[in-house]
Amino acid sequence: MDRLANTIRPYPWGSTTALPELLGTEPTGEPQAELWLGAHPGAPSRLADGSGEPPLPDVIASAPEAELGAGTVASFGPRLPFLLKVLAAASPLSLQVHPDREQARSGFEAEEADGVPRDAPYRNYKDADHKPELLCALSPFEGLCGFRHPAGAADLLAELGVDSLQPYTDILRASPEEDALREVFTAVLTADREAIAATVDEASAGAARLATEGGPRADEFAAYADIARHHPGDPGVIAAMLLHYVRLQPGEALYLGAGVPHCYLSGLGVELMANSDNVLRCGLTSKHVDVAELLRIVRFAPADPAVLRPEASPDGEEVYETPADEFRLSRHLLAPGAAARQLTTEAAQIVLCTSGTALLSGRTREGDPTELPLRCGQSVYVPATEPVTAVGDGTLFRATVAR
């Protein structure tokens, strides 16, 4: 096993304090949005083993089956199929959606055939894979996820008291559910920005007013008002009101499959996803929005967001069950004096400490016994089948392959 040196991505929406507090480092004064742990080429981890810190992708490429396990290579090829992150949001991210595997493959191949540069800002598909993801809260975490039922969305819009929203509420109440959501979502995102600006401003003011008045929707309206403060005049503010507001408590998680529109708003969380960078943005961004392609990808079926809680196994491991094949997230709550937790598995894994301390016992690459102490924010990479156990007084998150 090897300790990892990881990269922080400084996106503008990031918190200036949350990751430094987790890592025990001094804030720089600049946003620190995401800590990446894995082998994604955008910001690969390095092995902090004293031999020049080789990039994890190079280590895996040198012996894929030994590093990943034969089953992983057979299913996903000679690469780590997941990416682990710690996400620290201080302001809303873009409203976005991810394609399914077939949509990603066909979209990527079409852009390749058209000669669209892979780094072009107007490119939709950076790779040919899907991007299911799981977000587990480390602090109270706010987000938007999935479409409300149209009648509920109509009620929320009506509470704002904006006359120009009436056509949307009429559609939401009169049409079949999926048709209603598609029609309103399309109308908002394709509206002339100047023509809809007054409606967005009035809706934003209404949300701010209702947030201060209290009531059962006060937290929801406060979230929409905050989105509007960060993205004044953006039609995505109204599109966001069609989505469920979700507040996770520490330890709770949210799974996001293909076609589900979502937007993270604030908080600190562990995020695990397939090793893809395919994101189609719906709004709340200055980046490229391809409405036609977006409408092909979005699933307009309303559904209540499924908040996940970990399921404890007999050995104490708490697993967040999802349908994703590429990844599996679990948590170990270590207690002083308790028996060592067995972490050995048939696939490669990354283990991250998010509170307290832990001591991992395993082997060096030369086969010698070794122990690695972990404090909050530190992580290790463990190749497939390598024996490793953990003791301590803290919390470990463990990312590996599901199937």
Side-chain angles (χ1 to χ4, degrees):
M1 60 182 176
D2 300 276
R3 194 186 302 278
L4 290 176
N6 305 304
T7 299
I8 294 175
R9 307 304 293 265
Y11 305 131
W13 48 262
S15 169
T16 59
T17 59
L19 280 178
E21 287 176 4
L22 180 78
L23 299 172
T25 58
E26 287 296 319
T28 63
E30 299 298 320
Q32 297 186 30
E34 294 180 347
L35 180 72
W36 285 31
L37 303 90
H40 192 284
S45 298
R46 309 179 77 88
L47 302 192
D49 61 357
S51 62
E53 296 197 348
L56 182 55
D58 293 355
V59 174
I60 292 171
S62 68
E65 288 202 359
E67 295 292 330
L68 302 175
T72 298
V73 174
S75 296
F76 306 107
R79 67 185 188 108
L80 191 68
F82 63 81
L83 174 63
L84 181 66
K85 298 180 182 179
V86 182
L87 183 147
S91 60
L93 283 66
S94 61
L95 182 61
Q96 60 188 253
V97 69
H98 306 305
D100 63 27
R101 185 178 280 109
E102 176 55 31
Q103 290 165 339
R105 184 195 61 76
S106 62
F108 178 78
E109 290 177 354
E111 289 187 321
E112 289 286 281
D114 290 342
V116 180
R118 293 192 186 181
D119 59 353
Y122 54 89
R123 178 154 184 150
N124 292 317
Y125 298 95
K126 305 299 172 63
D127 53 67
D129 211 349
H130 67 162
K131 190 188 176 187
E133 64 185 41
L134 177 72
L135 187 287
C136 180
L138 295 178
S139 73
F141 196 99
E142 293 182 290
L144 307 177
C145 176
F147 284 111
R148 298 174 182 271
H149 288 272
D155 290 343
L156 184 142
L157 293 180
E159 284 189 59
L160 298 170
V162 179
D163 290 343
S164 53
L165 289 176
Q166 186 66 45
Y168 298 148
T169 61
D170 290 344
I171 294 168
L172 290 168
R173 289 191 171 121
S175 302
E177 288 195 322
E178 293 191 25
D179 292 344
L181 291 169
R182 177 183 291 275
E183 186 172 352
V184 173
F185 196 72
T186 302
V188 170
L189 294 185
T190 58
D192 179 83
R193 194 173 181 114
E194 290 186 8
I196 202 174
T199 300
V200 175
D201 290 345
E202 289 183 57
S204 302
R209 172 180 53 80
L210 291 166
T212 60
E213 290 178 358
R217 292 188 193 266
D219 288 346
E220 298 176 51
F221 285 120
Y224 296 126
D226 186 59
I227 291 171
R229 281 193 295 272
H230 286 94
H231 300 279
D234 192 320
V237 172
I238 297 175
M241 293 178 179
L242 301 176
L243 307 186
H244 290 284
Y245 167 79
V246 180
R247 184 176 177 87
L248 301 177
Q249 295 303 316
E252 294 180 333
L254 200 61
Y255 175 75
L256 296 162
V260 178
H262 59 279
C263 174
Y264 296 143
L265 302 177
S266 66
L268 182 70
V270 171
E271 189 179 24
L272 184 57
M273 64 194 68
N275 195 10
S276 168
D277 199 24
N278 280 326
V279 175
L280 283 87
R281 293 175 175 83
C282 316
L284 311 180
T285 181
S286 60
K287 295 182 179 180
H288 174 61
V289 176
D290 184 338
V291 176
E293 184 66 11
L294 179 69
L295 296 175
R296 189 177 75 88
I297 299 303
V298 172
R299 296 180 180 175
F300 289 95
D304 294 333
V307 175
L308 302 178
R309 295 172 181 84
E311 300 180 12
S313 59
D315 63 358
E317 183 180 35
E318 299 179 339
V319 181
Y320 293 89
E321 295 288 354
T322 78
D325 293 335
E326 291 87 350
F327 60 77
R328 176 182 184 271
L329 183 69
S330 62
R331 182 177 69 172
H332 286 270
L333 303 178
L334 304 178
R341 297 288 179 90
Q342 176 61 248
L343 303 183
T344 308
T345 185
E346 296 298 313
Q349 58 182 310
I350 293 175
V351 180
L352 167 69
C353 181
T354 60
S355 71
T357 59
L359 182 66
L360 271 59
S361 299
R363 300 187 303 191
T364 66
R365 289 187 171 270
E366 291 72 33
D368 300 320
T370 188
E371 292 183 335
L372 285 180
L374 294 185
R375 56 174 172 76
C376 188
Q378 292 185 325
S379 57
V380 299
Y381 164 76
V382 185
T385 71
E386 278 297 311
V388 59
T389 59
V391 296
D393 182 12
T395 302
L396 296 178
F397 278 88
R398 179 189 187 207
T400 187
V401 179
R403 301 171 179 86

